[in-house]
Amino acid sequence: MASALIALGGNVGDVRATFRQAIAEICRRADAALVARSSDYITPPWGEVQQPAFVNACIAVETAVAPHPLLAILHDVERLFGRDRARETRWGPRTLDLDLIAYDDVTLDTPDLTLPHPRLFERGFVLVPLAEIVPERRIAGRRVDEALGAVSRDGIRPLPSAE
């Protein structure tokens, strides 16, 4: 079994309900055990800033599915919830964005998958929820909680529990 870290984001529709359903679908399709789930965070848009705020979260799962097939599962789950990567604006509004952040200590650089995620250490909206669930995890030699200290957390705030 491998430990995979997945970031979730969205700003169209009932994002928190989408997250709950998408996490269950990821676990089912990847035969994965959910190890940890962060709180949901409201975050300012990144990249294309003229759009509604996002909701972001992270999960840690244990799975035997290899990185490339796991990425394919994540893309299938995105499509299930209405995402069309071919027709969307880069960094624009979306119902669901699933990013494979890290997979054990695997380092990959292929045309369709780079591990760890190449922009992980630039993104407070990923590092804040990640630090909540795996603060001491080392990714590319850096502890998540220490990496968080190097990015802005402006506008990122936890949402009340949805339960």
Side-chain angles (χ1 to χ4, degrees), residues 127 130-131 134-137 142-150 153:
L127 287 170
L130 208 54
V134 291
E136 297 177 3
R137 171 100 177 241
R142 297 177 70 183
R143 276 178 49 136
V144 169
D145 57 356
E146 292 170 355
L148 177 58
R153 298 181 217 184

Side-chain angles (χ1 to χ4, degrees), residues 85-114:
R85 285 179 173 260
R87 294 189 173 173
E88 71 185 17
T89 302
R90 185 174 181 154
W91 297 317
R94 61 201 58 194
T95 55
L96 181 63
D97 183 23
L98 299 171
D99 286 329
L100 183 55
I101 299 300
Y103 185 97
D104 277 346
D105 293 326
V106 171
T107 300
L108 276 175
D109 190 3
T110 66
D112 59 337
L113 179 60
T114 301

Side-chain angles (χ1 to χ4, degrees), residues 36-122:
R37 186 203 193 287
S38 74
S39 302
D40 294 333
Y41 290 84
I42 191 84
T43 65
W46 193 88
E48 177 59 51
V49 297
Q50 298 302 316
Q51 61 180 317
F54 276 77
V55 177
N56 288 96
C58 286
I59 60 173
V61 299
E62 293 287 331
T63 183
V65 175
H68 280 94
L70 181 56
L71 181 65
I73 288 168
L74 297 180
H75 288 173
D76 286 345
V77 171
E78 287 178 342
R79 281 190 293 279
L80 181 67
F81 289 93
R83 183 162 185 198
D84 183 351
R85 285 179 173 260
R87 294 189 173 173
E88 71 185 17
T89 302
R90 185 174 181 154
W91 297 317
R94 61 201 58 194
T95 55
L96 181 63
D97 183 23
L98 299 171
D99 286 329
L100 183 55
I101 299 300
Y103 185 97
D104 277 346
D105 293 326
V106 171
T107 300
L108 276 175
D109 190 3
T110 66
D112 59 337
L113 179 60
T114 301
L115 288 174
H117 192 284
R119 289 175 295 284
L120 164 64
F121 297 117
E122 302 167 13

